[in-house]
Amino acid sequence: MSRIVLGLAGLVAIAIGAAQLFAPAAFHEANGLPAVHDAGALSEIRAIGAAILAIGVVIAAGAVRPALSRQAALFGTGFYLAFGVGRVVGLAFDGLPSGSLLGAMAAELALGLACSYVLARSREPIAA
């Protein structure tokens, strides 16, 4: 079960990160956001995409290497719950975003909770 959760969580982050890194304008517009053509804004989107891609690789590594599963679950829990909770805060302060972003929020919260389940079930200590 933990391999499936970490594999799925890792692949989702890898796909999202790669889309933001290599096609930032299209990714932005696909989420119902205004078109972005400013080099500075595109640079910011690409930088976030690269970070998401890197986190995805770390999470996916836990699916491949059982010795890394606890650390990967910790990364997945923090990563996905931070995004999901951030979107919940946005709902409270800013109102409803597009349906695709609401779907992203639901997926982030679900993946964060699934990773936290894997983390809670693991017994080995987190390496320092």
Side-chain angles (χ1 to χ4, degrees):
M1 166 93 155
S2 63
R3 290 181 120 182
I4 293 169
V5 168
L6 295 175
L8 177 63
L11 288 176
V12 167
I14 289 168
I16 297 296
Q20 282 188 267
L21 179 60
F22 297 113
F27 179 83
H28 207 69
E29 291 173 34
N31 286 306
L33 301 170
V36 176
H37 302 292
D38 177 71
L42 290 170
S43 176
E44 286 297 308
I45 295 168
R46 287 183 196 277
I48 292 166
I52 292 171
L53 176 63
I55 295 264
V57 169
V58 171
I59 296 168
V64 178
R65 302 248 355 241
L68 299 176
S69 65
R70 184 162 169 82
Q71 290 86 347
L74 180 63
F75 271 90
T77 299
F79 172 75
Y80 281 110
L81 289 181
F83 266 92
V85 169
R87 292 186 199 275
V88 170
V89 170
L91 279 172
F93 285 101
D94 309 321
L96 283 174
S98 68
S100 65
L101 292 177
L102 287 173
M105 178 184 69
E108 289 157 356
L109 291 171
L111 287 169
L113 291 172
C115 286
S116 71
Y117 175 77
V118 170
L119 181 61
R121 286 187 40 142
S122 64
R123 289 184 168 67
E124 63 274 359
I126 295 174

